[in-house]
Amino acid sequence: MKRIKYFDYNATHPPIPGLLTKVLQEYEEDFFNPSGPTRFSLARQGKIEEARKVLAKLTGKDPKGFVFVSSGTEADYSLAYFAKQFIKTTAYLSPFEHAALYSSFRSLGIPYKVLSADKSGLVSLSELESYLKDEPGPVFVLHAGNETGVIQPIEELAEVSAKFGMPFYSDLIQSFSKIPVPFSVLNGFTFSGHKIGGGLGSSVLWFDPKHLPEGGVFQGGNQENGHRAGTENSPSILALAEAAQIQFAEMENKNNRLEYYRNKIESKLKSMGAEIVAENSPRLFSTTFALLPLDDLDFFMMGMEEKGFALSTGSSCKSRSREAAPSLLAMGYSEEEALRAIRISTGLYTTEEEVDSLLIALEETILSIR
């Protein structure tokens, strides 16, 4: 089978070459349960603690606040679970959160209000301030949209929250290691290993350790310093930490390259009559979300797959359902417009040769359907 030309990095990042093989080979020799009583288990737990220290060094946050969990969904549930202690009447969420965060609030019985947005893809600072003035509550705004790539002004949003004595939390699953993050203003955040090339099976919650209660979403064990029950997926945790170090070291050079690629891709799409969503807003260099000048994307997606390209119609959690992208509806686009959206996302291993072949394939496929 010919090699897939991969343009769906926002869904999952290809594993960093050799990383998973290395951690699994090491695990075959050092497979001990980190919670066991022997010195062998203690050594295994020590490696997890070293991974925690790596993340602390990268973010400048207290290592005691890092809790390793199984997925981004569990991380978002855990964030809501630990933040519930500060929610007296209501919380405020952006309209661009992962579905897991809204579900966690409903499951935990936490009332919340959703902030509004326009076609810029940015939430309103003035609206948030007016809400907090009338009814203070914690604020949850993801840093970068997984569909649009729009980067929210979390420093300014956190400043508004702090003005009313409220904590500010952010889902960093699309921004962590892609762009600089102002970690110092965050009272809690989440990110995921498979989004940065560390493979599946491990994600991270950070929460101010002064406010981390015993127990969590999963209870019945004392793992993760008592904040999450369940034997740690130690190979995946070690892979996540090493992938983070690699991505942080590559960030500046990678972004210079990806910005160049994004400009080429968007220039071609616009020449074909496509609309770039939130084109003038701050966005990830790796992400293009565009409305194609086509009535139906099914033939387009099939045509691109036939040519060996992997891209997306939006969030990987929604793309198979062919539902309108929630982010676009929240921005004021119609359902018909939203159903014409495609997402092209690049990353560490994207090459200019692949981008150039993508441009040819986009033009050929769009023209063949018109």
Side-chain angles (χ1 to χ4, degrees), residues 322-348:
R322 292 293 289 121
E323 295 177 4
S327 60
L328 288 176
L329 298 180
M331 293 164 67
Y333 286 94
S334 69
E335 184 169 348
E336 182 276 330
E337 290 173 315
L339 287 171
R340 293 192 282 112
I342 63 163
R343 183 184 68 190
I344 297 170
S345 50
T346 57
L348 187 59

PDB file of all heavy atoms in Angstrom, residues 322-348:
ATOM      1  N   ARG A 322     -20.896  13.231  10.127  1.00  0.00           N
ATOM      2  CA  ARG A 322     -21.277  14.219   9.129  1.00  0.00           C
ATOM      3  C   ARG A 322     -22.255  15.227   9.687  1.00  0.00           C
ATOM      4  O   ARG A 322     -23.177  15.677   9.028  1.00  0.00           O
ATOM      5  CB  ARG A 322     -21.842  13.550   7.877  1.00  0.00           C
ATOM      6  CG  ARG A 322     -20.832  12.759   7.088  1.00  0.00           C
ATOM      7  CD  ARG A 322     -19.759  13.628   6.440  1.00  0.00           C
ATOM      8  NE  ARG A 322     -20.297  14.418   5.341  1.00  0.00           N
ATOM      9  CZ  ARG A 322     -20.249  15.733   5.307  1.00  0.00           C
ATOM     10  NH1 ARG A 322     -19.696  16.403   6.289  1.00  0.00           N
ATOM     11  NH2 ARG A 322     -20.740  16.389   4.279  1.00  0.00           N
ATOM     12  N   GLU A 323     -22.066  15.574  10.945  1.00  0.00           N
ATOM     13  CA  GLU A 323     -22.832  16.650  11.552  1.00  0.00           C
ATOM     14  C   GLU A 323     -22.100  17.963  11.329  1.00  0.00           C
ATOM     15  O   GLU A 323     -20.887  17.990  11.134  1.00  0.00           O
ATOM     16  CB  GLU A 323     -23.003  16.399  13.057  1.00  0.00           C
ATOM     17  CG  GLU A 323     -23.837  15.170  13.397  1.00  0.00           C
ATOM     18  CD  GLU A 323     -23.914  14.936  14.894  1.00  0.00           C
ATOM     19  OE1 GLU A 323     -23.388  15.777  15.660  1.00  0.00           O
ATOM     20  OE2 GLU A 323     -24.470  13.911  15.295  1.00  0.00           O
ATOM     21  N   ALA A 324     -22.854  19.048  11.345  1.00  0.00           N
ATOM     22  CA  ALA A 324     -22.241  20.363  11.212  1.00  0.00           C
ATOM     23  C   ALA A 324     -21.280  20.597  12.372  1.00  0.00           C
ATOM     24  O   ALA A 324     -21.571  20.249  13.519  1.00  0.00           O
ATOM     25  CB  ALA A 324     -23.316  21.437  11.191  1.00  0.00           C
ATOM     26  N   ALA A 325     -20.115  21.167  12.065  1.00  0.00           N
ATOM     27  CA  ALA A 325     -19.118  21.441  13.106  1.00  0.00           C
ATOM     28  C   ALA A 325     -19.701  22.387  14.144  1.00  0.00           C
ATOM     29  O   ALA A 325     -20.119  23.499  13.801  1.00  0.00           O
ATOM     30  CB  ALA A 325     -17.865  22.046  12.486  1.00  0.00           C
ATOM     31  N   PRO A 326     -19.746  21.994  15.421  1.00  0.00           N
ATOM     32  CA  PRO A 326     -20.289  22.875  16.462  1.00  0.00           C
ATOM     33  C   PRO A 326     -19.600  24.226  16.532  1.00  0.00           C
ATOM     34  O   PRO A 326     -20.224  25.243  16.809  1.00  0.00           O
ATOM     35  CB  PRO A 326     -20.081  22.065  17.747  1.00  0.00           C
ATOM     36  CG  PRO A 326     -19.997  20.645  17.306  1.00  0.00           C
ATOM     37  CD  PRO A 326     -19.334  20.692  15.960  1.00  0.00           C
ATOM     38  N   SER A 327     -18.289  24.248  16.266  1.00  0.00           N
ATOM     39  CA  SER A 327     -17.558  25.514  16.330  1.00  0.00           C
ATOM     40  C   SER A 327     -18.096  26.504  15.303  1.00  0.00           C
ATOM     41  O   SER A 327     -18.230  27.704  15.589  1.00  0.00           O
ATOM     42  CB  SER A 327     -16.068  25.269  16.097  1.00  0.00           C
ATOM     43  OG  SER A 327     -15.841  24.689  14.823  1.00  0.00           O
ATOM     44  N   LEU A 328     -18.419  26.019  14.109  1.00  0.00           N
ATOM     45  CA  LEU A 328     -18.929  26.914  13.065  1.00  0.00           C
ATOM     46  C   LEU A 328     -20.331  27.420  13.405  1.00  0.00           C
ATOM     47  O   LEU A 328     -20.652  28.588  13.165  1.00  0.00           O
ATOM     48  CB  LEU A 328     -18.933  26.203  11.719  1.00  0.00           C
ATOM     49  CG  LEU A 328     -17.554  25.977  11.089  1.00  0.00           C
ATOM     50  CD1 LEU A 328     -17.677  25.169   9.803  1.00  0.00           C
ATOM     51  CD2 LEU A 328     -16.851  27.291  10.822  1.00  0.00           C
ATOM     52  N   LEU A 329     -21.163  26.550  13.941  1.00  0.00           N
ATOM     53  CA  LEU A 329     -22.513  26.981  14.335  1.00  0.00           C
ATOM     54  C   LEU A 329     -22.422  28.043  15.426  1.00  0.00           C
ATOM     55  O   LEU A 329     -23.167  29.031  15.408  1.00  0.00           O
ATOM     56  CB  LEU A 329     -23.330  25.780  14.812  1.00  0.00           C
ATOM     57  CG  LEU A 329     -23.570  24.671  13.771  1.00  0.00           C
ATOM     58  CD1 LEU A 329     -24.393  23.541  14.382  1.00  0.00           C
ATOM     59  CD2 LEU A 329     -24.268  25.218  12.527  1.00  0.00           C
ATOM     60  N   ALA A 330     -21.502  27.860  16.371  1.00  0.00           N
ATOM     61  CA  ALA A 330     -21.333  28.838  17.452  1.00  0.00           C
ATOM     62  C   ALA A 330     -20.835  30.172  16.921  1.00  0.00           C
ATOM     63  O   ALA A 330     -21.096  31.227  17.518  1.00  0.00           O
ATOM     64  CB  ALA A 330     -20.352  28.294  18.492  1.00  0.00           C
ATOM     65  N   MET A 331     -20.140  30.155  15.800  1.00  0.00           N
ATOM     66  CA  MET A 331     -19.613  31.379  15.205  1.00  0.00           C
ATOM     67  C   MET A 331     -20.624  32.088  14.315  1.00  0.00           C
ATOM     68  O   MET A 331     -20.342  33.176  13.801  1.00  0.00           O
ATOM     69  CB  MET A 331     -18.345  31.058  14.409  1.00  0.00           C
ATOM     70  CG  MET A 331     -17.169  30.620  15.269  1.00  0.00           C
ATOM     71  SD  MET A 331     -15.825  29.819  14.338  1.00  0.00           S
ATOM     72  CE  MET A 331     -15.237  31.188  13.344  1.00  0.00           C
ATOM     73  N   GLY A 332     -21.784  31.459  14.105  1.00  0.00           N
ATOM     74  CA  GLY A 332     -22.830  32.105  13.319  1.00  0.00           C
ATOM     75  C   GLY A 332     -22.968  31.602  11.898  1.00  0.00           C
ATOM     76  O   GLY A 332     -23.754  32.150  11.117  1.00  0.00           O
ATOM     77  N   TYR A 333     -22.239  30.546  11.543  1.00  0.00           N
ATOM     78  CA  TYR A 333     -22.410  29.957  10.215  1.00  0.00           C
ATOM     79  C   TYR A 333     -23.674  29.100  10.191  1.00  0.00           C
ATOM     80  O   TYR A 333     -24.083  28.538  11.219  1.00  0.00           O
ATOM     81  CB  TYR A 333     -21.202  29.102   9.845  1.00  0.00           C
ATOM     82  CG  TYR A 333     -19.974  29.895   9.491  1.00  0.00           C
ATOM     83  CD1 TYR A 333     -19.006  30.189  10.454  1.00  0.00           C
ATOM     84  CD2 TYR A 333     -19.763  30.356   8.195  1.00  0.00           C
ATOM     85  CE1 TYR A 333     -17.865  30.924  10.135  1.00  0.00           C
ATOM     86  CE2 TYR A 333     -18.627  31.086   7.860  1.00  0.00           C
ATOM     87  CZ  TYR A 333     -17.691  31.360   8.835  1.00  0.00           C
ATOM     88  OH  TYR A 333     -16.566  32.091   8.520  1.00  0.00           O
ATOM     89  N   SER A 334     -24.268  28.970   9.027  1.00  0.00           N
ATOM     90  CA  SER A 334     -25.450  28.127   8.877  1.00  0.00           C
ATOM     91  C   SER A 334     -25.030  26.663   8.845  1.00  0.00           C
ATOM     92  O   SER A 334     -23.854  26.338   8.616  1.00  0.00           O
ATOM     93  CB  SER A 334     -26.188  28.470   7.586  1.00  0.00           C
ATOM     94  OG  SER A 334     -25.423  28.074   6.458  1.00  0.00           O
ATOM     95  N   GLU A 335     -25.999  25.769   9.030  1.00  0.00           N
ATOM     96  CA  GLU A 335     -25.695  24.339   8.975  1.00  0.00           C
ATOM     97  C   GLU A 335     -25.200  23.957   7.582  1.00  0.00           C
ATOM     98  O   GLU A 335     -24.279  23.149   7.441  1.00  0.00           O
ATOM     99  CB  GLU A 335     -26.933  23.522   9.351  1.00  0.00           C
ATOM    100  CG  GLU A 335     -26.645  22.029   9.414  1.00  0.00           C
ATOM    101  CD  GLU A 335     -27.780  21.237  10.034  1.00  0.00           C
ATOM    102  OE1 GLU A 335     -28.684  21.862  10.606  1.00  0.00           O
ATOM    103  OE2 GLU A 335     -27.751  20.004   9.920  1.00  0.00           O
ATOM    104  N   GLU A 336     -25.807  24.546   6.556  1.00  0.00           N
ATOM    105  CA  GLU A 336     -25.381  24.240   5.186  1.00  0.00           C
ATOM    106  C   GLU A 336     -23.935  24.654   4.966  1.00  0.00           C
ATOM    107  O   GLU A 336     -23.137  23.920   4.361  1.00  0.00           O
ATOM    108  CB  GLU A 336     -26.303  24.972   4.192  1.00  0.00           C
ATOM    109  CG  GLU A 336     -25.987  24.699   2.718  1.00  0.00           C
ATOM    110  CD  GLU A 336     -24.875  25.587   2.156  1.00  0.00           C
ATOM    111  OE1 GLU A 336     -24.730  26.733   2.633  1.00  0.00           O
ATOM    112  OE2 GLU A 336     -24.141  25.116   1.267  1.00  0.00           O
ATOM    113  N   GLU A 337     -23.564  25.821   5.471  1.00  0.00           N
ATOM    114  CA  GLU A 337     -22.180  26.269   5.350  1.00  0.00           C
ATOM    115  C   GLU A 337     -21.244  25.360   6.132  1.00  0.00           C
ATOM    116  O   GLU A 337     -20.168  24.986   5.646  1.00  0.00           O
ATOM    117  CB  GLU A 337     -22.053  27.712   5.846  1.00  0.00           C
ATOM    118  CG  GLU A 337     -22.708  28.750   4.944  1.00  0.00           C
ATOM    119  CD  GLU A 337     -22.697  30.133   5.568  1.00  0.00           C
ATOM    120  OE1 GLU A 337     -23.011  30.243   6.773  1.00  0.00           O
ATOM    121  OE2 GLU A 337     -22.391  31.089   4.841  1.00  0.00           O
ATOM    122  N   ALA A 338     -21.647  25.017   7.333  1.00  0.00           N
ATOM    123  CA  ALA A 338     -20.797  24.204   8.195  1.00  0.00           C
ATOM    124  C   ALA A 338     -20.539  22.821   7.606  1.00  0.00           C
ATOM    125  O   ALA A 338     -19.478  22.230   7.833  1.00  0.00           O
ATOM    126  CB  ALA A 338     -21.421  24.078   9.580  1.00  0.00           C
ATOM    127  N   LEU A 339     -21.481  22.298   6.835  1.00  0.00           N
ATOM    128  CA  LEU A 339     -21.312  20.978   6.235  1.00  0.00           C
ATOM    129  C   LEU A 339     -20.380  20.997   5.030  1.00  0.00           C
ATOM    130  O   LEU A 339     -20.111  19.954   4.436  1.00  0.00           O
ATOM    131  CB  LEU A 339     -22.673  20.406   5.846  1.00  0.00           C
ATOM    132  CG  LEU A 339     -23.535  19.934   7.024  1.00  0.00           C
ATOM    133  CD1 LEU A 339     -24.946  19.600   6.565  1.00  0.00           C
ATOM    134  CD2 LEU A 339     -22.897  18.717   7.703  1.00  0.00           C
ATOM    135  N   ARG A 340     -19.862  22.174   4.689  1.00  0.00           N
ATOM    136  CA  ARG A 340     -18.890  22.274   3.592  1.00  0.00           C
ATOM    137  C   ARG A 340     -17.471  22.479   4.120  1.00  0.00           C
ATOM    138  O   ARG A 340     -16.580  22.838   3.364  1.00  0.00           O
ATOM    139  CB  ARG A 340     -19.273  23.438   2.665  1.00  0.00           C
ATOM    140  CG  ARG A 340     -20.576  23.223   1.909  1.00  0.00           C
ATOM    141  CD  ARG A 340     -20.770  24.255   0.800  1.00  0.00           C
ATOM    142  NE  ARG A 340     -21.217  25.550   1.304  1.00  0.00           N
ATOM    143  CZ  ARG A 340     -20.483  26.661   1.282  1.00  0.00           C
ATOM    144  NH1 ARG A 340     -19.241  26.646   0.818  1.00  0.00           N
ATOM    145  NH2 ARG A 340     -20.971  27.808   1.735  1.00  0.00           N
ATOM    146  N   ALA A 341     -17.274  22.240   5.395  1.00  0.00           N
ATOM    147  CA  ALA A 341     -15.982  22.533   6.017  1.00  0.00           C
ATOM    148  C   ALA A 341     -15.023  21.350   5.947  1.00  0.00           C
ATOM    149  O   ALA A 341     -15.406  20.197   6.166  1.00  0.00           O
ATOM    150  CB  ALA A 341     -16.189  22.924   7.475  1.00  0.00           C
ATOM    151  N   ILE A 342     -13.764  21.660   5.660  1.00  0.00           N
ATOM    152  CA  ILE A 342     -12.689  20.672   5.764  1.00  0.00           C
ATOM    153  C   ILE A 342     -11.593  21.230   6.670  1.00  0.00           C
ATOM    154  O   ILE A 342     -11.424  22.443   6.779  1.00  0.00           O
ATOM    155  CB  ILE A 342     -12.076  20.299   4.398  1.00  0.00           C
ATOM    156  CG1 ILE A 342     -11.410  21.521   3.742  1.00  0.00           C
ATOM    157  CG2 ILE A 342     -13.116  19.662   3.501  1.00  0.00           C
ATOM    158  CD1 ILE A 342     -10.454  21.163   2.621  1.00  0.00           C
ATOM    159  N   ARG A 343     -10.885  20.331   7.308  1.00  0.00           N
ATOM    160  CA  ARG A 343      -9.751  20.724   8.150  1.00  0.00           C
ATOM    161  C   ARG A 343      -8.488  20.064   7.618  1.00  0.00           C
ATOM    162  O   ARG A 343      -8.461  18.846   7.389  1.00  0.00           O
ATOM    163  CB  ARG A 343      -9.970  20.299   9.601  1.00  0.00           C
ATOM    164  CG  ARG A 343      -8.844  20.751  10.538  1.00  0.00           C
ATOM    165  CD  ARG A 343      -9.045  20.222  11.941  1.00  0.00           C
ATOM    166  NE  ARG A 343      -8.887  18.772  12.015  1.00  0.00           N
ATOM    167  CZ  ARG A 343      -9.188  18.034  13.078  1.00  0.00           C
ATOM    168  NH1 ARG A 343      -9.682  18.612  14.160  1.00  0.00           N
ATOM    169  NH2 ARG A 343      -9.008  16.722  13.061  1.00  0.00           N
ATOM    170  N   ILE A 344      -7.474  20.876   7.405  1.00  0.00           N
ATOM    171  CA  ILE A 344      -6.155  20.392   7.002  1.00  0.00           C
ATOM    172  C   ILE A 344      -5.193  20.758   8.118  1.00  0.00           C
ATOM    173  O   ILE A 344      -5.060  21.938   8.466  1.00  0.00           O
ATOM    174  CB  ILE A 344      -5.709  21.036   5.679  1.00  0.00           C
ATOM    175  CG1 ILE A 344      -6.669  20.639   4.546  1.00  0.00           C
ATOM    176  CG2 ILE A 344      -4.278  20.629   5.336  1.00  0.00           C
ATOM    177  CD1 ILE A 344      -6.449  21.420   3.256  1.00  0.00           C
ATOM    178  N   SER A 345      -4.541  19.766   8.709  1.00  0.00           N
ATOM    179  CA  SER A 345      -3.626  20.053   9.821  1.00  0.00           C
ATOM    180  C   SER A 345      -2.291  19.361   9.586  1.00  0.00           C
ATOM    181  O   SER A 345      -2.231  18.206   9.187  1.00  0.00           O
ATOM    182  CB  SER A 345      -4.235  19.648  11.166  1.00  0.00           C
ATOM    183  OG  SER A 345      -4.739  18.325  11.138  1.00  0.00           O
ATOM    184  N   THR A 346      -1.231  20.115   9.830  1.00  0.00           N
ATOM    185  CA  THR A 346       0.130  19.658   9.582  1.00  0.00           C
ATOM    186  C   THR A 346       0.882  19.506  10.902  1.00  0.00           C
ATOM    187  O   THR A 346       0.356  19.824  11.967  1.00  0.00           O
ATOM    188  CB  THR A 346       0.855  20.670   8.674  1.00  0.00           C
ATOM    189  OG1 THR A 346       0.817  21.961   9.313  1.00  0.00           O
ATOM    190  CG2 THR A 346       0.189  20.767   7.315  1.00  0.00           C
ATOM    191  N   GLY A 347       2.116  19.048  10.808  1.00  0.00           N
ATOM    192  CA  GLY A 347       2.876  18.849  12.034  1.00  0.00           C
ATOM    193  C   GLY A 347       4.349  18.608  11.778  1.00  0.00           C
ATOM    194  O   GLY A 347       4.883  18.902  10.705  1.00  0.00           O
ATOM    195  N   LEU A 348       4.992  18.027  12.759  1.00  0.00           N
ATOM    196  CA  LEU A 348       6.443  17.905  12.799  1.00  0.00           C
ATOM    197  C   LEU A 348       7.020  17.248  11.558  1.00  0.00           C
ATOM    198  O   LEU A 348       8.108  17.626  11.098  1.00  0.00           O
ATOM    199  CB  LEU A 348       6.843  17.107  14.057  1.00  0.00           C
ATOM    200  CG  LEU A 348       8.329  16.997  14.383  1.00  0.00           C
ATOM    201  CD1 LEU A 348       8.952  18.375  14.585  1.00  0.00           C
ATOM    202  CD2 LEU A 348       8.530  16.132  15.624  1.00  0.00           C
TER     203      LEU A 348
END
